[in-house]
Structures are given as structure tokens and as C-alpha cells.
Amino acid sequence: MLLPARALPVVQPQLAKAFGPLALACAIGATSMLAPHAALLLLAALGAFALMNTRQPQLDLPALAGPGLAALLVGAFAGLAGAIGVLFIWRLYSDARWSVNEARRLNAAAGRPEGASARTLAHAWASPLFGLALVAYTAPHMVAGLPLDLPHIPVWAVLIVGGLAALLVFDWALKCAADWRLGELAAAPAAHLLAHHLMFILAFGLMIDVSAGIVAMIAWRLAHAGASRLGQPSFTAVP
């Protein structure tokens, strides 16, 4: 069913806000496979843009202490590849947590507090978990010339995680379709969550290139930070 004409002016800006950063991130990720130096330059430009639109940039050192210590401990026993693997898991979790919190904020702003509950947003963790499982299954990897290793899990574990993720995302999509049919769909959180799933699946679920996926994820976060920081003092969205 098509949206009513009167709803289009409301939905279109939400789609652009959600999928603009996604498209930019995919473009920079693809660029990293063809011209890594150009991709780094684009990331630097995005970071500079986010910084210029931040009134009070902050560096949360206590938040870095835990992952840094874990990487040092694992690196002492498993080597550099294991330490890089720990940092990869931390970044994947951090990016997923930020996106889930953003979805929670958008649901609350749209007057849908029930959509901000942990149970309702459980599906948002499914695609990052599947991406992590697939990266672990195909480990080791090389990321920017550095080795990345994770515990090698069996293929059946990947299939179970992938099946569970597919069920959760499909259930969420059915609920969105029902709300759309009834004219009760909250466009902003739905568009953000769709972009969220596409981002994690494209970056890590398809396993095109882990380095390109990491670059795309960083670009996605920086694009959101630059767009959302205009006129706002918080710098919490920047990785």
C-alpha cells in the first residue's frame, strides 16, 4: 500500500536523514577497496566537519580504559592479532549500542515510548551479532595491514545466529508493515533501524572486506555526528 500523499512531505526528510549517511558510508567503504588513501582522506574530512560543528568536543578517557586494558591482556597471551580482535569487538558493540540508543531516542521523540523498550529493540542487536559471528568464522583477517583474529566458531553457530537474526528482523519488518498499513508508522525510528540493519549487514554480514566494513562503519558514525551536531554541543556520537 502506498503512503498517502499528505504523509510524503513528512516521510521523505526522515528517509534522507537515515539513508544519506548510509549511502555516504557505503561509497567511502567501496572507495577504500580501490583507493585506501582516498578513503582515509574522506574520513579525515568527515571528522573535521564533525569537529567544526561541535562547540565542546570531549574525549571520554574512562570509556577507553576498559577496552584498552582488555586488549593489552589478550594481546599478552594471544599476540597482536588477538588484541586487534578485542578492539574490533569493542568497536562493533559501541557502534551497535549508539545506534540502538539513537533508535530509542527517535521513538521517544515520536511519542512511541513502547518502541524504546529493550524487548522491542532486541532485533537491532541481531544484525551486529550476525556480522560478528561471520567475522569470527572467517578469521583471521588483515585490517589496514594489521592482523585481526577471533576465536574460530563452527559453521552451525553462524547458521543459528543468522537464522535467529533473520527471524527477529523479519518480525520487526512485519510490525512496521502493519503500522504502515494502519497509518501509525513512526517514520524516523523505522528509517533509522532499517539503515542500521543494512549498514551492519553490508559492512560485516556480507564479508566483502573487513577493512572496508570498518571504514564504512566509521564513516557512518562520522556522517551522523556531523549532521546531528549542527548547532548542538554534544560530541557523544563521534567514535
Side-chain angles (χ1 to χ4, degrees), residues 151-177:
H152 187 77
I153 62 175
V155 65
W156 57 262
V158 179
L159 294 177
I160 290 175
V161 173
L164 180 62
L167 287 175
L168 289 174
V169 174
F170 182 70
D171 179 69
W172 166 75
L174 282 180
K175 291 177 181 178
C176 287

Side-chain angles (χ1 to χ4, degrees), residues 20-33 198-199 202-203 212 216 219-220:
L22 175 65
L24 181 60
C26 290
I28 295 178
T31 301
S32 70
M33 293 188 290
L198 290 174
M199 185 71 251
L202 290 173
W220 186 57

Side-chain angles (χ1 to χ4, degrees), residues 3-4 7-24 106 172 176 180 185-196 198 220 224:
L3 281 174
L8 291 178
V10 177
V11 173
Q12 288 175 347
Q14 304 298 344
L15 293 177
K17 186 175 181 180
F19 292 103
L22 175 65
L24 181 60
L106 291 172
W172 166 75
C176 287
W180 188 3
L185 179 65
H192 172 77
L193 286 169
L194 178 57
H196 163 95
L198 290 174
W220 186 57
H224 272 285

Side-chain angles (χ1 to χ4, degrees), residues 68-97:
L69 179 60
L72 288 175
L73 290 176
V74 172
F77 292 96
L80 179 61
I84 300 297
V86 170
L87 294 177
F88 170 77
I89 294 174
W90 166 64
R91 279 313 317 164
L92 184 67
Y93 167 75
S94 180
D95 291 332
R97 182 183 61 180

